[in-house]
Amino acid sequence: MTDNTTADKPVWIKPTLRAHRSGLLNKFGAVPSRQWQDEFEDVPVADLIHQFGSPLFVISEQRLRKNVRHLTRAFSARYPRVQYSWSYKTNYLNAVCAIAHQEGAWAEVVSAFEYEKARNLGVPGEKILFNGPHKPRAILERAIKEGAHIHVDHLDELQLIDEIARATAQNVEITLRLNFDTGVTEPWSRFGFNVESGQALDAAWRVAHSPNLKLTGLHSHIGTFVMDTRAYRAQVKTMCQFMERAEKDTGCQIDCIDVGGGFASRNALQGVYLPPEQVVPSIDQYAEAICDTLLEATHGREREGRPRPLLLLETGRAVVDDAEILLTSVVGNKRLPDGRRATIVDAGVNLLFTAFWYHHNVKPTRELSGVAEETVLYGPLCMNIDVMRASILLPPLDVGDVLMFSPVGAYNNTQWLQFIEYRPNVVLVHDDRQVSIVRAAEDLQAVTAQERLPDHLRDVSPR
Ligand SMILES: *Cc1c(COP(=O)(O)O)cnc(C)c1O
């Protein structure tokens, strides 16, 4: 009830109920962050915005290198044969891929476009893992010729590879993609060959019967943002059991076990109420789960003088997510009919596709004063779905104030949409703190470059 009593004259006001929204604890049990951050990798946010405009994606070269090294060391310290491959679809900006490759990563691609991108960057075919359910004949022919690792998704594809191998008199080593129930994660049964139903073993037999094909690898990718490391223990166990069975039955010799990607990043998944620091396993915990199981399962091979398989990793999200931020500026404030404050910023779900499933960390970039209040953050699109954050406690923001969204390195620079707005600059903070554009902001010319206007439509005056 509102108390509006003045010293001399009490005035009666109709009582109203108001939700108490600006407390210390929110419904997620977390104390709202009062932090602000005015630099990224020691480069002032104000300088970045001044020089490159808003909104702006900023990538840290140092952080990305560190993450790749950390991942590869965590696995190499626990298992003798490890090769990491960069998952292109997670972020295929050339600069990002090049940094991963300089750190020793191969390329993991899932389409003709991604294959061509990797080759164009100078990655040789032998260092490309070719996944995905759609590999048209022309790109398969090229990939086979160039010695890429072909990960087969279905029987028609196996047939096509067999045809190409025969027609060109080549011997092709192939990897089968497997799917199965880990008992922990939702099975991704649409990719690859199912183990439980016997489909995968049938495929291994098909390969064995072809004079031109050789089964040398097994692949599976059990999901994404997998927060339970037991899923990986189950995965490796199933893959190793299948390896032994396929080798014994069909006479193949498996040299690679590829466990795919899927490690969670330190991002807050919507609907998970505990902070990511508490629920997301560390890279070392993932490495331990996978390497322990693989060492145990391949112990016998070593005793018998058969080599342990090469462990292939295709981690995307957990490597790149925290190496990139998005800076966005306030363009206006308004009050919604239900009393909530709404703030409109210049970056929306067109740029931050992951806003649909994460509660990103949102930080002001200067010290703000005033009472924090529940705020809706809207993007600039003329679309109801353009919500960057449905509810966040923030002090009042002025037009021009810059907010920092993080982490945003995974699946945004690939899934973003050219929709309503131009896509902005993406810059890289180099190891030496120099900053350069790695993807230039779009303009009218860039966005309409592929359009063709028939002659009779050139004049738009009414006829
Ligand atoms: C997407 C994908 C990855 C990378 O997944 P993350 O969850 O980003 O680690 C790896 N392998 C395959 C086959 C994929 O489709």
Side-chain angles (χ1 to χ4, degrees), residues 109-161:
V109 304
V110 293
S111 67
F113 160 59
E114 290 188 0
Y115 186 88
E116 287 170 7
K117 214 165 193 293
R119 290 291 295 121
N120 216 37
L121 264 177
V123 181
E126 320 88 76
K127 294 187 174 178
I128 300 179
L129 308 180
F130 199 171
N131 282 308
H134 178 220
K135 307 180 190 79
R137 184 178 194 119
I139 197 69
L140 261 182
E141 284 173 349
R142 177 177 176 188
I144 288 170
K145 197 169 90 200
E146 294 176 343
H149 300 249
I150 316 286
H151 292 189
V152 185
D153 181 75
H154 54 263
L155 277 182
D156 289 311
E157 187 174 272
L158 187 59
Q159 170 99 20
L160 180 56
I161 295 167

Side-chain angles (χ1 to χ4, degrees), residues 23 45 91 106 125 143 207 249 263 301 338 375 397 428 433 452:
V45 165
N91 189 326
W106 290 2
V207 178
D249 285 12
F263 305 159
R301 296 171 84 86
D338 65 6
T375 307
L397 295 158
L428 180 75
R433 301 290 178 266
R452 306 289 182 268

Side-chain angles (χ1 to χ4, degrees), residues 87 89-90 108 131 177 219 221 224 261-262 314-317 411:
S87 155
K89 77 170 186 296
T90 310
E108 186 272 322
N131 282 308
R177 180 165 182 165
H219 170 274
H221 172 65
T224 193
E314 303 173 346
T315 315
R317 187 190 301 279
Y411 297 101

Side-chain angles (χ1 to χ4, degrees), residues 155-173:
L155 277 182
D156 289 311
E157 187 174 272
L158 187 59
Q159 170 99 20
L160 180 56
I161 295 167
D162 198 16
E163 260 172 55
I164 296 170
R166 227 171 313 165
T168 54
Q170 297 174 91
N171 290 319
V172 181
E173 296 189 355

Side-chain angles (χ1 to χ4, degrees), residues 380-406:
L381 305 182
C382 202
M383 287 280 287
N384 206 32
I385 54 157
D386 191 18
V387 180
M388 290 288 271
R389 198 58 191 270
S391 169
I392 183 168
L393 283 174
L394 280 173
L397 295 158
D398 295 335
V399 170
D401 268 334
V402 176
L403 295 175
M404 182 187 294
F405 278 72
S406 68

